[in-house]
Amino acid sequence: MKKYKRKELESCLQQVDGFEDPKLLLEQYPTRPHIAACMLYTIHNTFDDIENKIVADLGCGCGVLSIGSAMLGAGLCIGFDVDADALEVFNRNAEEFELTNIDMVQCDVCSLPEEMAKTFDTVIMNPPFGTKHNKGTDMAFLKTALRMAKTAVYSLHKTSTRQHIQKKADDWKVKMEVLAELRYDLPASYKFHKKKSVDIEVDFIRFSSEKKTNEGMT
């Protein structure tokens, strides 16, 4: 299997097509190739949580994190998203990259069945930040991810919510490590955006399910 340097991975991920018509209600912002490569390279090289692992990508959108995981040698990466249009683009992307260790499921991430518990080694995600119409969606995604992961969850969250997330992690008896502070460049995807792009400070976090996470998660 080809060993990718971070810059090579980023360069490949720049070829992934994004949302054709982003939906505001679903907070569809693309995961930038630079951020996706940074996340995946760290997960792969520092923690060895991708190669030969079963990986889930929650709220996968057009599949940049799934495709990057598959390129880094995931045993299988499955993307989950509620939006059929995004998954259509994801499917095209996967075909163009000629990847066979990748699949996708259309569903509401927050209502995945209990049978999914502990079926994935690793869960990666760039969830909705829980702003505007989606208050609390980020934590609902995290709760689902922790149920699904045997080893670890890797996620992006607004830095301004770090204390709130730490408190939840403590309540759920989950170890939380902030691996990096990143600047998320949000392009002007929607008509109401006045500026061409806005920088948001985000934390790249690893949650490890070393303690029981299925109980007491409210």
Coordinates of all heavy atoms in Angstrom, one line a residue, residues 34-125:
H34 N -6.9 20.6 3.7 CA -5.8 20.8 4.6 C -6.2 20.2 6.0 O -5.4 19.5 6.7 CB -5.5 22.3 4.8 CG -4.6 22.6 5.9 ND1 -3.3 22.3 5.9 CD2 -4.8 23.2 7.1 CE1 -2.7 22.7 7.0 NE2 -3.6 23.3 7.7
I35 N -7.4 20.5 6.5 CA -7.9 20.1 7.8 C -8.1 18.5 7.7 O -7.7 17.8 8.7 CB -9.2 20.8 8.2 CG1 -8.8 22.2 8.7 CG2 -9.9 20.1 9.3 CD1 -9.9 23.1 9.2
A36 N -8.7 18.0 6.7 CA -8.9 16.6 6.5 C -7.6 15.8 6.6 O -7.5 14.8 7.3 CB -9.7 16.3 5.2
A37 N -6.6 16.3 5.9 CA -5.3 15.7 5.8 C -4.6 15.7 7.2 O -4.1 14.7 7.6 CB -4.4 16.3 4.8
C38 N -4.7 16.9 7.9 CA -4.2 17.0 9.2 C -4.8 16.0 10.2 O -4.1 15.3 10.9 CB -4.4 18.4 9.7 SG -4.0 18.7 11.4
M39 N -6.1 15.9 10.1 CA -6.9 15.0 11.0 C -6.4 13.5 10.7 O -6.0 12.8 11.6 CB -8.4 15.1 10.8 CG -9.0 16.3 11.3 SD -10.8 16.4 10.8 CE -11.5 15.1 11.9
L40 N -6.5 13.2 9.5 CA -6.3 11.8 9.1 C -4.9 11.3 9.3 O -4.6 10.2 9.8 CB -6.8 11.5 7.7 CG -8.2 11.7 7.4 CD1 -8.5 11.8 5.9 CD2 -9.1 10.6 8.1
Y41 N -4.0 12.2 9.0 CA -2.5 11.9 9.2 C -2.2 11.6 10.6 O -1.5 10.7 11.0 CB -1.7 13.0 8.6 CG -0.2 12.7 8.3 CD1 0.1 11.9 7.3 CD2 0.8 13.1 9.2 CE1 1.4 11.5 7.0 CE2 2.1 12.7 9.0 CZ 2.4 11.9 7.9 OH 3.7 11.6 7.7
T42 N -2.8 12.5 11.5 CA -2.6 12.3 13.0 C -3.2 11.0 13.4 O -2.6 10.2 14.2 CB -3.2 13.5 13.7 OG1 -2.6 14.7 13.2 CG2 -2.9 13.4 15.2
I43 N -4.4 10.7 13.0 CA -5.1 9.5 13.5 C -4.3 8.3 13.0 O -4.2 7.3 13.8 CB -6.6 9.5 12.8 CG1 -7.4 10.6 13.4 CG2 -7.2 8.1 13.2 CD1 -8.7 10.8 12.6
H44 N -3.8 8.4 11.8 CA -3.1 7.2 11.2 C -1.7 7.1 11.8 O -1.3 6.0 12.3 CB -3.0 7.5 9.7 CG -2.2 6.4 9.0 ND1 -2.6 5.1 9.0 CD2 -1.2 6.5 8.1 CE1 -1.8 4.4 8.2 NE2 -0.9 5.2 7.7
N45 N -0.9 8.2 11.8 CA 0.5 8.1 12.2 C 0.7 8.1 13.7 O 1.6 7.4 14.2 CB 1.3 9.2 11.6 CG 1.7 8.9 10.2 OD1 1.1 8.1 9.6 ND2 2.7 9.6 9.7
T46 N 0.0 8.8 14.5 CA 0.2 8.9 15.9 C -0.5 7.8 16.7 O 0.0 7.3 17.6 CB -0.3 10.3 16.4 OG1 0.3 11.3 15.7 CG2 0.0 10.5 17.9
F47 N -1.7 7.5 16.2 CA -2.6 6.5 17.0 C -2.8 5.2 16.3 O -3.4 4.3 16.9 CB -3.9 7.2 17.3 CG -3.8 8.4 18.2 CD1 -3.8 9.7 17.7 CD2 -3.6 8.2 19.6 CE1 -3.6 10.8 18.5 CE2 -3.4 9.4 20.4 CZ -3.5 10.6 19.8
D48 N -2.4 5.1 15.0 CA -2.6 3.8 14.3 C -4.1 3.4 14.3 O -4.4 2.2 14.5 CB -1.7 2.7 14.8 CG -1.6 1.5 13.8 OD1 -1.9 1.7 12.6 OD2 -1.3 0.4 14.3
D49 N -5.0 4.3 14.1 CA -6.4 4.0 14.2 C -7.2 4.0 12.9 O -8.4 4.0 12.8 CB -7.1 5.0 15.2 CG -7.0 4.6 16.6 OD1 -6.7 3.5 16.9 OD2 -7.1 5.5 17.5
I50 N -6.4 3.8 11.8 CA -7.0 3.7 10.5 C -6.7 2.5 9.7 O -7.6 1.7 9.3 CB -6.7 5.0 9.6 CG1 -7.4 6.2 10.1 CG2 -7.2 4.7 8.1 CD1 -7.2 7.5 9.4
E51 N -5.4 2.2 9.5 CA -5.0 1.1 8.7 C -5.5 -0.3 9.2 O -5.4 -0.6 10.4 CB -3.4 1.0 8.7 CG -2.9 0.1 7.6 CD -1.4 0.1 7.4 OE1 -0.8 1.0 8.0 OE2 -0.9 -0.7 6.6
N52 N -6.2 -1.0 8.3 CA -6.8 -2.3 8.6 C -7.9 -2.2 9.7 O -8.3 -3.2 10.2 CB -5.8 -3.3 9.1 CG -4.7 -3.6 8.0 OD1 -5.1 -3.7 6.9 ND2 -3.5 -3.7 8.4
K53 N -8.4 -1.0 10.0 CA -9.5 -0.8 10.9 C -10.8 -0.6 10.2 O -10.9 -0.2 9.1 CB -9.2 0.4 11.8 CG -7.9 0.4 12.6 CD -7.9 -0.7 13.7 CE -6.8 -0.5 14.7 NZ -5.5 -0.9 14.2
I54 N -11.9 -0.9 11.0 CA -13.3 -0.6 10.5 C -13.6 0.8 11.0 O -13.6 1.0 12.2 CB -14.3 -1.6 11.0 CG1 -13.8 -3.1 10.7 CG2 -15.7 -1.4 10.4 CD1 -13.7 -3.4 9.3
V55 N -13.8 1.7 10.0 CA -13.9 3.1 10.3 C -15.3 3.6 9.9 O -15.8 3.3 8.8 CB -12.8 3.9 9.6 CG1 -13.0 5.4 9.9 CG2 -11.4 3.5 10.0
A56 N -16.0 4.4 10.8 CA -17.2 5.1 10.4 C -16.9 6.6 10.3 O -16.2 7.2 11.1 CB -18.3 4.9 11.5
D57 N -17.6 7.2 9.3 CA -17.5 8.7 9.1 C -18.9 9.2 9.2 O -19.7 9.0 8.3 CB -16.9 8.9 7.7 CG -16.9 10.4 7.3 OD1 -17.2 11.2 8.2 OD2 -16.5 10.7 6.2
L58 N -19.2 9.9 10.3 CA -20.6 10.3 10.6 C -20.8 11.7 10.0 O -20.0 12.6 10.2 CB -20.9 10.3 12.1 CG -20.7 9.0 12.8 CD1 -21.3 9.1 14.3 CD2 -21.4 7.9 12.1
G59 N -21.9 11.9 9.3 CA -22.2 13.1 8.6 C -21.1 13.3 7.5 O -20.5 14.4 7.4
C60 N -21.0 12.3 6.7 CA -19.8 12.2 5.8 C -19.9 13.2 4.7 O -18.8 13.5 4.1 CB -19.7 10.8 5.3 SG -21.1 10.2 4.4
G61 N -21.0 13.7 4.4 CA -21.1 14.7 3.3 C -20.7 14.1 2.0 O -21.1 12.9 1.6
C62 N -19.7 14.7 1.3 CA -19.3 14.3 0.0 C -18.1 13.3 0.1 O -17.5 12.9 -0.9 CB -18.9 15.5 -0.9 SG -20.3 16.5 -1.2
G63 N -17.7 13.0 1.4 CA -16.8 11.8 1.6 C -15.3 12.1 1.7 O -14.6 11.2 1.6
V64 N -14.9 13.3 2.0 CA -13.5 13.6 2.0 C -12.8 12.8 3.1 O -11.7 12.3 2.9 CB -13.2 15.1 2.1 CG1 -13.6 15.7 3.4 CG2 -11.7 15.4 1.8
L65 N -13.4 12.7 4.3 CA -12.7 12.0 5.4 C -12.8 10.5 5.1 O -11.8 9.8 5.4 CB -13.4 12.3 6.7 CG -13.2 13.7 7.2 CD1 -14.0 13.9 8.5 CD2 -11.7 14.0 7.6
S66 N -13.8 10.0 4.5 CA -13.9 8.6 4.2 C -12.9 8.2 3.1 O -12.2 7.2 3.2 CB -15.3 8.2 3.6 OG -16.3 8.3 4.6
I67 N -12.8 9.0 2.1 CA -11.9 8.8 1.0 C -10.4 8.8 1.5 O -9.6 7.9 1.2 CB -12.1 9.7 -0.2 CG1 -13.4 9.3 -0.9 CG2 -10.9 9.8 -1.1 CD1 -14.0 10.4 -1.8
G68 N -10.1 9.8 2.3 CA -8.8 9.8 2.9 C -8.5 8.6 3.8 O -7.4 8.1 3.7
S69 N -9.5 8.2 4.6 CA -9.3 7.0 5.4 C -9.0 5.7 4.5 O -8.2 4.9 4.8 CB -10.5 6.7 6.3 OG -10.7 7.8 7.2
A70 N -9.8 5.6 3.4 CA -9.7 4.5 2.5 C -8.3 4.5 1.9 O -7.6 3.4 1.8 CB -10.8 4.5 1.5
M71 N -7.8 5.7 1.5 CA -6.5 5.8 0.9 C -5.4 5.4 1.9 O -4.3 4.9 1.5 CB -6.2 7.2 0.4 CG -7.1 7.6 -0.8 SD -7.0 9.4 -1.1 CE -5.2 9.5 -1.5
L72 N -5.6 5.6 3.2 CA -4.6 5.3 4.2 C -4.7 3.8 4.7 O -4.1 3.4 5.6 CB -4.7 6.2 5.4 CG -4.3 7.7 5.1 CD1 -4.7 8.6 6.3 CD2 -2.8 7.8 4.8
G73 N -5.6 3.1 4.0 CA -5.6 1.6 4.2 C -6.6 1.1 5.2 O -6.4 0.0 5.8
A74 N -7.7 1.9 5.4 CA -8.7 1.3 6.3 C -9.2 0.0 5.7 O -9.3 -0.2 4.5 CB -9.9 2.3 6.3
G75 N -9.5 -0.9 6.7 CA -10.1 -2.2 6.2 C -11.4 -2.0 5.5 O -11.6 -2.5 4.4
L76 N -12.2 -1.1 6.1 CA -13.4 -0.6 5.5 C -13.8 0.7 6.1 O -13.7 0.8 7.3 CB -14.5 -1.7 5.7 CG -15.9 -1.3 5.2 CD1 -16.0 -1.2 3.6 CD2 -17.0 -2.3 5.6
C77 N -14.2 1.6 5.3 CA -14.7 2.9 5.8 C -16.2 3.1 5.3 O -16.4 3.0 4.1 CB -13.9 4.1 5.4 SG -14.4 5.6 6.2
I78 N -17.1 3.3 6.3 CA -18.5 3.5 5.9 C -18.9 4.9 6.3 O -18.7 5.3 7.4 CB -19.4 2.5 6.6 CG1 -19.0 1.1 6.2 CG2 -20.9 2.7 6.2 CD1 -19.8 0.0 6.9
G79 N -19.4 5.7 5.3 CA -19.9 7.0 5.6 C -21.4 7.0 5.8 O -22.1 6.3 5.1
F80 N -21.8 7.8 6.8 CA -23.2 7.9 7.1 C -23.7 9.3 6.9 O -23.1 10.2 7.5 CB -23.5 7.5 8.6 CG -23.2 6.0 8.9 CD1 -21.9 5.7 9.2 CD2 -24.2 5.1 8.9 CE1 -21.6 4.3 9.5 CE2 -23.9 3.8 9.2 CZ -22.6 3.4 9.5
D81 N -24.8 9.5 6.2 CA -25.3 10.9 6.0 C -26.8 10.8 5.6 O -27.2 9.9 5.0 CB -24.5 11.6 4.9 CG -24.6 13.1 5.0 OD1 -25.7 13.7 4.8 OD2 -23.6 13.8 5.4
V82 N -27.5 11.9 6.0 CA -28.9 11.9 5.8 C -29.3 12.4 4.4 O -30.4 12.2 3.9 CB -29.6 12.8 6.9 CG1 -29.4 14.3 6.6 CG2 -31.1 12.5 7.0
D83 N -28.3 13.0 3.7 CA -28.6 13.8 2.5 C -28.2 12.9 1.2 O -27.1 12.7 1.0 CB -27.8 15.1 2.5 CG -28.2 15.9 1.3 OD1 -29.3 15.9 0.8 OD2 -27.3 16.6 0.8
A84 N -29.2 12.6 0.5 CA -29.0 11.7 -0.7 C -28.2 12.5 -1.8 O -27.4 11.9 -2.5 CB -30.4 11.4 -1.3
D85 N -28.3 13.8 -1.9 CA -27.6 14.6 -2.9 C -26.1 14.5 -2.6 O -25.2 14.3 -3.4 CB -28.0 16.0 -2.9 CG -29.4 16.2 -3.4 OD1 -29.9 15.3 -4.2 OD2 -30.1 17.1 -3.1
A86 N -25.7 14.7 -1.3 CA -24.3 14.6 -0.9 C -23.8 13.2 -1.1 O -22.6 13.1 -1.6 CB -24.2 15.0 0.6
L87 N -24.5 12.2 -0.8 CA -24.1 10.8 -1.0 C -23.9 10.5 -2.5 O -23.0 9.7 -2.9 CB -25.0 9.8 -0.4 CG -25.0 9.8 1.2 CD1 -26.1 8.9 1.7 CD2 -23.7 9.5 1.7
E88 N -24.7 11.1 -3.4 CA -24.5 10.9 -4.8 C -23.1 11.5 -5.2 O -22.4 10.8 -6.0 CB -25.6 11.7 -5.5 CG -25.8 11.2 -7.0 CD -27.0 11.9 -7.6 OE1 -28.1 11.8 -7.1 OE2 -26.7 12.5 -8.7
V89 N -22.7 12.6 -4.7 CA -21.4 13.2 -5.0 C -20.3 12.3 -4.4 O -19.3 12.0 -5.0 CB -21.3 14.6 -4.4 CG1 -19.9 15.2 -4.7 CG2 -22.3 15.6 -5.0
F90 N -20.5 11.8 -3.2 CA -19.6 10.9 -2.5 C -19.4 9.7 -3.4 O -18.3 9.2 -3.6 CB -20.2 10.5 -1.1 CG -19.4 9.6 -0.3 CD1 -19.8 9.4 1.1 CD2 -18.3 9.0 -0.7 CE1 -19.1 8.5 1.9 CE2 -17.5 8.1 0.1 CZ -17.9 7.9 1.4
N91 N -20.5 9.1 -3.9 CA -20.4 7.9 -4.7 C -19.5 8.1 -5.9 O -18.7 7.3 -6.3 CB -21.8 7.4 -5.1 CG -21.8 6.0 -5.6 OD1 -21.1 5.1 -5.1 ND2 -22.5 5.8 -6.7
R92 N -19.7 9.3 -6.6 CA -18.9 9.7 -7.7 C -17.5 9.8 -7.4 O -16.6 9.3 -8.1 CB -19.4 11.0 -8.3 CG -20.6 10.9 -9.2 CD -20.6 12.0 -10.3 NE -20.5 13.4 -9.7 CZ -21.5 14.1 -9.2 NH1 -22.7 13.7 -9.2 NH2 -21.3 15.3 -8.7
N93 N -17.2 10.5 -6.2 CA -15.8 10.6 -5.8 C -15.2 9.3 -5.5 O -14.0 9.1 -6.0 CB -15.8 11.4 -4.4 CG -16.0 12.9 -4.7 OD1 -15.6 13.5 -5.7 ND2 -16.7 13.6 -3.7
A94 N -15.9 8.4 -4.9 CA -15.3 7.1 -4.6 C -14.9 6.3 -5.9 O -13.9 5.7 -6.0 CB -16.2 6.3 -3.7
E95 N -15.8 6.5 -6.8 CA -15.6 5.8 -8.1 C -14.4 6.4 -8.9 O -13.6 5.7 -9.4 CB -16.8 5.9 -9.0 CG -18.0 4.9 -8.6 CD -19.2 5.1 -9.4 OE1 -19.3 6.0 -10.3 OE2 -20.2 4.4 -9.1
E96 N -14.3 7.7 -8.8 CA -13.1 8.4 -9.5 C -11.8 8.0 -8.8 O -10.8 7.9 -9.5 CB -13.3 9.9 -9.4 CG -14.3 10.4 -10.5 CD -14.7 11.8 -10.4 OE1 -13.9 12.6 -9.8 OE2 -15.7 12.2 -10.9
F97 N -11.8 7.8 -7.5 CA -10.6 7.4 -6.8 C -10.4 5.9 -6.9 O -9.4 5.4 -6.4 CB -10.7 7.8 -5.3 CG -10.2 9.2 -5.1 CD1 -11.1 10.3 -5.3 CD2 -9.0 9.5 -4.6 CE1 -10.7 11.6 -5.1 CE2 -8.6 10.8 -4.4 CZ -9.5 11.9 -4.6
E98 N -11.3 5.1 -7.5 CA -11.2 3.7 -7.6 C -11.0 3.0 -6.3 O -10.1 2.1 -6.2 CB -10.2 3.3 -8.7 CG -10.5 3.9 -10.1 CD -9.5 3.6 -11.1 OE1 -8.3 3.2 -10.7 OE2 -9.8 3.7 -12.3
L99 N -11.8 3.3 -5.3 CA -11.6 2.7 -4.0 C -12.7 1.6 -3.8 O -13.8 1.8 -4.1 CB -11.8 3.8 -2.9 CG -10.7 4.9 -2.9 CD1 -11.1 6.1 -2.1 CD2 -9.4 4.4 -2.4
T100 N -12.2 0.5 -3.3 CA -13.2 -0.6 -3.0 C -13.4 -0.8 -1.5 O -14.4 -1.5 -1.2 CB -12.6 -1.9 -3.6 OG1 -11.3 -2.1 -3.1 CG2 -12.5 -1.8 -5.1
N101 N -12.6 -0.2 -0.7 CA -12.8 -0.4 0.8 C -13.6 0.7 1.4 O -13.3 1.3 2.5 CB -11.4 -0.5 1.5 CG -10.5 0.7 1.2 OD1 -10.7 1.4 0.2 ND2 -9.5 1.0 2.0
I102 N -14.7 1.1 0.7 CA -15.5 2.2 1.1 C -17.0 2.0 0.8 O -17.3 1.3 -0.2 CB -15.0 3.5 0.4 CG1 -15.4 4.8 1.1 CG2 -15.4 3.5 -1.1 CD1 -14.6 6.0 0.6
D103 N -17.8 2.4 1.7 CA -19.3 2.3 1.4 C -20.0 3.4 2.1 O -19.4 4.2 2.8 CB -19.8 0.9 2.0 CG -21.0 0.4 1.3 OD1 -21.6 1.1 0.5 OD2 -21.3 -0.8 1.5
M104 N -21.3 3.6 1.8 CA -22.0 4.7 2.4 C -23.5 4.2 2.7 O -24.0 3.3 2.0 CB -22.0 5.9 1.4 CG -22.6 5.6 0.1 SD -21.9 6.6 -1.3 CE -20.3 5.8 -1.4
V105 N -24.0 4.9 3.7 CA -25.4 4.5 4.2 C -26.2 5.8 4.3 O -25.7 6.8 5.0 CB -25.3 3.8 5.5 CG1 -26.8 3.5 6.0 CG2 -24.6 2.5 5.4
Q106 N -27.4 5.9 3.7 CA -28.2 7.1 3.9 C -29.1 6.9 5.2 O -29.8 5.9 5.3 CB -29.1 7.3 2.7 CG -29.9 8.7 2.9 CD -30.8 8.9 1.8 OE1 -30.9 8.2 0.8 NE2 -31.6 10.0 1.9
C107 N -28.9 7.7 6.2 CA -29.7 7.6 7.4 C -29.5 8.8 8.2 O -28.7 9.7 8.0 CB -29.2 6.4 8.2 SG -27.5 6.6 8.8
D108 N -30.4 9.0 9.2 CA -30.2 10.0 10.2 C -29.2 9.5 11.3 O -29.5 8.6 12.0 CB -31.6 10.3 10.9 CG -31.5 11.4 12.0 OD1 -30.4 11.8 12.3 OD2 -32.5 11.8 12.5
V109 N -28.1 10.2 11.3 CA -27.0 9.7 12.2 C -27.4 9.6 13.7 O -27.1 8.7 14.4 CB -25.8 10.7 12.1 CG1 -24.8 10.5 13.2 CG2 -25.1 10.5 10.7
C110 N -28.3 10.5 14.1 CA -28.7 10.6 15.5 C -29.7 9.5 15.9 O -30.1 9.4 17.0 CB -29.2 12.0 15.8 SG -27.9 13.2 15.7
S111 N -30.2 8.8 14.9 CA -31.1 7.7 15.2 C -30.7 6.4 14.7 O -31.5 5.5 14.3 CB -32.5 8.0 14.8 OG -32.5 8.3 13.4
L112 N -29.4 6.1 14.7 CA -28.8 4.8 14.3 C -29.2 3.8 15.4 O -29.2 4.1 16.6 CB -27.3 4.9 14.2 CG -26.8 5.6 12.9 CD1 -25.3 5.9 13.0 CD2 -27.1 4.7 11.7
P113 N -29.5 2.6 15.0 CA -30.0 1.6 15.9 C -28.9 1.1 16.9 O -27.7 1.2 16.7 CB -30.4 0.4 15.0 CG -29.6 0.6 13.8 CD -29.5 2.0 13.6
E114 N -29.4 0.6 18.1 CA -28.5 0.1 19.1 C -27.6 -1.0 18.7 O -26.5 -1.1 19.2 CB -29.4 -0.4 20.3 CG -30.0 0.7 21.2 CD -28.9 1.6 21.9 OE1 -27.9 1.0 22.3 OE2 -29.2 2.8 22.0
E115 N -28.0 -1.7 17.6 CA -27.2 -2.8 17.1 C -25.8 -2.3 16.6 O -24.9 -3.1 16.4 CB -27.9 -3.6 16.0 CG -29.1 -4.3 16.4 CD -30.4 -3.4 16.4 OE1 -30.9 -3.1 15.4 OE2 -30.8 -3.1 17.6
M116 N -25.8 -1.0 16.3 CA -24.5 -0.4 15.8 C -23.5 -0.3 16.9 O -22.3 0.1 16.7 CB -24.8 0.9 15.2 CG -25.4 0.9 13.8 SD -24.2 0.5 12.6 CE -25.2 0.7 11.1
A117 N -23.8 -0.5 18.2 CA -22.9 -0.3 19.3 C -21.7 -1.1 19.1 O -21.7 -2.3 18.9 CB -23.6 -0.6 20.6
K118 N -20.5 -0.4 19.3 CA -19.2 -1.1 19.3 C -19.0 -1.9 18.0 O -18.3 -3.0 18.1 CB -19.0 -2.0 20.5 CG -19.3 -1.2 21.8 CD -18.3 -0.1 22.0 CE -18.6 0.8 23.2 NZ -18.1 2.2 23.1
T119 N -19.5 -1.5 16.9 CA -19.2 -2.2 15.6 C -18.1 -1.6 14.8 O -17.7 -2.2 13.8 CB -20.5 -2.2 14.8 OG1 -21.0 -0.9 14.7 CG2 -21.6 -3.2 15.3
F120 N -17.6 -0.5 15.2 CA -16.5 0.2 14.5 C -15.3 0.4 15.4 O -15.4 0.7 16.6 CB -16.9 1.5 13.9 CG -18.0 1.4 12.9 CD1 -19.3 1.3 13.2 CD2 -17.6 1.3 11.5 CE1 -20.3 1.2 12.2 CE2 -18.6 1.2 10.5 CZ -19.9 1.1 10.9
D121 N -14.1 0.2 14.9 CA -12.9 0.4 15.7 C -12.7 1.9 15.9 O -12.5 2.4 17.1 CB -11.6 0.0 14.9 CG -11.6 -1.5 14.7 OD1 -11.7 -2.3 15.7 OD2 -11.6 -1.9 13.5
T122 N -13.0 2.7 14.9 CA -12.7 4.1 14.9 C -13.9 4.9 14.3 O -14.4 4.5 13.3 CB -11.4 4.5 14.1 OG1 -10.3 3.6 14.6 CG2 -11.0 5.9 14.2
V123 N -14.3 6.0 14.9 CA -15.3 6.9 14.3 C -14.6 8.3 14.1 O -14.0 8.8 15.0 CB -16.5 7.1 15.2 CG1 -17.5 8.0 14.5 CG2 -17.2 5.7 15.4
I124 N -14.7 8.8 12.9 CA -14.2 10.1 12.5 C -15.4 11.0 12.1 O -16.4 10.5 11.6 CB -13.2 10.1 11.4 CG1 -13.7 9.4 10.2 CG2 -11.9 9.4 11.9 CD1 -12.8 9.4 9.0
M125 N -15.3 12.3 12.4 CA -16.4 13.1 12.0 C -16.1 14.6 12.1 O -15.3 15.0 12.9 CB -17.7 12.8 12.8 CG -17.6 13.0 14.3 SD -19.1 12.7 15.1 CE -18.7 13.2 16.8

